[in-house]
């Protein structure tokens, strides 16, 4: 457990007031006295440790808008991790994101608030599986989604994220590629590029729950509703969407197009985080939660900084090969 010595004193209230004002639209005022002492202490410890907090777009608003220094999708977080000059990087996301940050920053301390924050896609495949596929399809390039372990990345030619998968697969100039492990993202890439995809049957446990029927029902109820969907969704869902893109892509779409009413077919916190910046836009909010992303809480972030836990370590030989696949992606991206 984290030890929090400060209470919601007048000093903490005054110090955190400007932060609360940024999130007043998404965090009820009655909850602020609970969050504020953690926010104040985390901010202090970040300075003391020269630490930076990277938060994925699915983090709860009280992490995303109050203590995070950099927010974004998997690609944005990987790029920012490669750029930071902090000594310590706390990744509020899931384990593969922290591993990616470690791969591009081998000399820095990378921490995760909860080691159990995994991912159904990353859990669906091992390095041995990739070696078997290479034997079965000799010479076919292996493209791996970043939602994988470092061990799987190490067996791959290049990584992709949802934000650059189409661009990177096209850049290979191959007629067919092995695309791992997200079957639906692979199908989406095939539909956008015409390139033959040899897919794996991995799925995101959050996005696979959406259905085309659900989206058609939204449209019927509200023909003006703009539907944005993440490419981890099944093909019949993507067929109904007005826009398909990464979490950052969806966020940028809202900023650019300012739809009156919008639904984001993705994880639940995404709409809360984007809506904080656009109070005039109405967000329809189906709530599919990612249980892994939700393992991160303000008390665990504080504990992570207090005890410098849980450090992400990657075997140097695996890290070396995995880094090559990630760096190739960053070079193309
Ligand atoms: P993004 O890279 O689009 O943020 O997606 C990461 C993820 O885990 C989606 O489920
Ligand atoms: Fe993995 Fe899906 Fe959770 Fe993203 S939302 S971390 S793909 S389980």
């Amino acid at each position: 457990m984290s030890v929090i010595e400060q209470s919601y004193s007048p000093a903490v209230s005054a110090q955190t007031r400007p932060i609360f004002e940024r999130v007043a639209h998404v965090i009820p005022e009655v909850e602020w006295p609970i969050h504020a002492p953690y926010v104040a202490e985390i901010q202090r410890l970040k300075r003391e440790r020269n630490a930076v907090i990277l938060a994925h777009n699915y983090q709860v608003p009280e992490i995303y808008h109050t203590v995070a220094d950099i927010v974004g999708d998997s690609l944005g977080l990987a790029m920012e991790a490669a750029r930071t000059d902090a000594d310590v990087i706390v990744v509020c996301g899931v384990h593969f994101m922290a591993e990616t940050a470690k791969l591009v920053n081998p000399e820095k301390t990378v921490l995760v608030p909860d080691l159990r924050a995994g991912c159904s896609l990353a859990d669906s495949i091992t390095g041995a599986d990739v070696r078997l596929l290479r034997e079965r399809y000799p010479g076919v390039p292996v493209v791996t989604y970043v939602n994988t372990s470092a061990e799987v990345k190490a067996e791959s030619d290049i990584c992709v994220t949802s934000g650059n998968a189409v661009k990177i697969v096209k850049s290979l100039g191959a007629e067919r590629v092995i695309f791992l492990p997200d079957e639906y993202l692979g199908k989406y890439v095939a539909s956008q590029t015409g390139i033959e995809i040899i897919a794996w049957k991995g799925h995101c446990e959050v996005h696979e729950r959406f259905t085309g029927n659900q989206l058609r029902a939204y449209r019927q109820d509200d023909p003006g509703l703009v539907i944005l969907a993440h490419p981890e969704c099944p093909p019949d869902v993507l067929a109904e969407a007005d826009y398909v893109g990464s979490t950052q892509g969806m966020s940028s779409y809202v900023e650019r197009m300012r739809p009156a009413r919008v639904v984001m077919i993705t994880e639940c916190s995404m709409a809360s985080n984007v809506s904080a910046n656009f109070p005039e836009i109405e967000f329809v909010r189906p709530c599919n939660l990612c249980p892994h992303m939700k393992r991160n809480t303000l008390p665990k972030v504080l504990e992570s900084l207090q005890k410098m836990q849980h450090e992400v370590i990657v075997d140097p030989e695996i890290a070396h090969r995995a880094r090559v696949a990630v760096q190739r992606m960053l070079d193309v991206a």
Side-chain angles (χ1 to χ4, degrees):
M1 284 288 289
S2 58
V3 180
I4 180 92
E5 277 162 18
Q6 295 198 68
S7 59
Y8 190 56
S9 62
V12 169
S13 167
Q15 187 191 338
T16 59
R17 195 75 211 166
I19 301 178
F20 176 67
E21 273 156 20
R22 288 209 305 268
V23 288
H25 181 61
V26 286
I27 298 180
E29 184 144 20
V30 66
E31 283 182 18
W32 192 243
I34 301 166
H35 300 313
Y38 288 100
V39 172
E41 187 56 10
I42 290 168
Q43 297 288 14
R44 189 190 69 74
L45 265 175
K46 275 198 304 186
R47 288 190 294 274
E48 191 177 298
R49 303 237 190 258
N50 189 24
V52 71
I53 296 183
L54 308 188
H56 184 260
N57 290 326
Y58 295 162
Q59 291 303 290
V60 284
E62 64 269 23
I63 290 178
Y64 188 90
H65 285 289
T66 72
V67 295
D69 300 288
I70 291 155
V71 295
D73 63 0
S74 310
L75 178 62
L77 297 184
M79 287 166 66
E80 291 299 334
R83 248 175 239 150
T84 183
D85 54 12
D87 297 318
V88 178
I89 303 173
V90 181
V91 178
C92 293
V94 291
H95 195 263
F96 76 80
M97 295 176 178
E99 260 188 355
T100 309
K102 182 69 184 175
L103 292 177
V104 296
N105 277 301
E107 75 296 349
K108 293 192 198 286
T109 303
V110 176
L111 304 175
V112 285
D114 191 322
L115 270 175
R116 295 167 302 169
C119 169
S120 66
L121 279 167
D123 288 345
S124 74
I125 191 160
T126 65
D129 294 325
V130 186
R131 287 193 292 276
L132 278 175
L133 282 164
R134 273 203 195 274
E135 273 174 32
R136 192 174 302 169
Y137 301 100
V140 180
V142 175
V143 178
T144 297
Y145 194 24
V146 281
N147 295 40
T148 46
S149 64
E151 186 209 4
V152 166
K153 291 183 176 79
E155 301 296 335
S156 315
D157 294 304
I158 191 164
C159 286
V160 299
T161 69
S162 58
N164 61 23
V166 169
K167 180 177 173 181
I168 286 186
V169 169
K170 270 190 195 160
S171 79
L172 298 177
E175 279 173 15
R176 62 177 187 163
V177 302
I178 299 170
F179 188 97
L180 308 169
D182 187 344
E183 181 187 14
Y184 298 145
L185 179 59
K187 285 193 167 153
Y188 175 69
V189 170
S191 75
Q192 301 301 299
T193 60
I195 293 168
E196 186 192 338
I197 297 288
I198 298 161
W200 189 251
K201 288 248 178 252
H203 298 144
C204 162
E205 66 188 88
V206 177
H207 292 89
E208 71 176 352
R209 299 211 302 270
F210 293 105
T211 65
N213 279 344
Q214 188 183 352
L215 269 61
R216 283 187 285 279
Y218 285 139
R219 282 233 192 270
Q220 215 166 9
D221 278 3
D222 182 355
L225 182 68
V226 173
I227 300 181
L228 316 182
H230 195 279
E232 288 171 9
C233 294
D236 66 325
V237 170
L238 300 185
E240 298 296 328
D242 297 300
Y243 169 84
V244 175
S246 75
T247 56
Q248 200 54 46
M250 286 188 238
S251 189
S252 305
Y253 181 100
V254 169
E255 189 170 359
R256 214 171 48 245
M257 307 299 279
R258 309 286 169 119
R261 286 182 312 287
V262 65
V263 59
M264 292 175 158
I265 304 301
T266 190
E267 209 267 350
C268 192
S269 289
M270 183 74 202
S272 309
N273 290 334
V274 179
S275 75
N277 299 331
F278 303 101
E280 73 288 1
I281 296 178
E282 192 187 323
F283 287 79
V284 175
R285 298 178 190 216
C287 201
N288 287 5
L289 285 170
C290 174
H292 312 290
M293 291 278 180
K294 265 39 203 186
R295 287 199 181 272
N296 299 318
T297 60
L298 282 177
K300 286 190 207 166
V301 175
L302 175 59
E303 189 176 20
S304 177
L305 279 166
Q306 284 174 331
K307 300 183 183 165
M308 294 294 281
Q309 68 179 25
H310 303 274
E311 188 169 356
V312 175
I313 309 278
V314 186
D315 174 88
E317 192 275 325
I318 289 176
H320 172 72
R321 290 186 291 127
R323 190 176 306 119
V324 173
V326 172
Q327 193 55 52
R328 280 194 189 128
M329 169 186 85
L330 293 177
D331 292 345
V332 178

